[in-house]
Amino acid sequence: MWTEENNRLYRKFQFKDFSEAFAFMTRVALEAEKMNHHPLWTNVYNKVEIWLNTHDAGDIVTEKDRELAEKIDAIFGA
């Protein structure tokens, strides 16, 4: 579940292993590139953490962030 704090949407994802986590990140990267909206994220082994906000809107959460979050959720649930 995404949480909103400090003008960012945040969610942590956990996978079976590094390969699953990296495959997820690759799919998210393709969607983010299509939107020209790139997340701040970290990956350690099977965990991926993502923070979303819109830099050119003053580093606040916008509809663009919510749209990408929905796409990320769909990828994770697929």
Side-chain angles (χ1 to χ4, degrees):
M1 192 52 84
W2 291 92
T3 59
E4 187 171 341
E5 189 173 308
N6 297 324
N7 293 319
R8 292 181 175 175
L9 290 179
Y10 167 80
R11 184 164 178 192
K12 184 176 185 178
F13 299 87
Q14 188 165 335
F15 301 88
K16 182 180 79 176
D17 55 27
F18 177 75
S19 292
E20 280 191 8
F22 198 85
F24 168 76
M25 291 178 71
T26 300
R27 293 180 68 199
V28 170
L30 293 171
E31 287 300 321
E33 187 64 18
K34 287 180 197 172
M35 294 178 66
N36 192 30
H37 192 55
H38 307 97
L40 169 63
W41 57 9
T42 62
N43 165 237
V44 178
Y45 183 57
N46 68 335
K47 293 177 181 68
V48 176
E49 292 182 82
I50 301 176
W51 295 266
L52 300 173
N53 68 5
T54 303
H55 306 294
D56 57 1
D59 292 321
I60 61 170
V61 175
T62 66
E63 189 55 38
K64 200 171 189 180
D65 302 299
R66 296 186 195 289
E67 181 181 342
L68 183 54
E70 286 180 19
K71 290 178 185 235
I72 293 169
D73 285 345
I75 291 167
F76 183 67

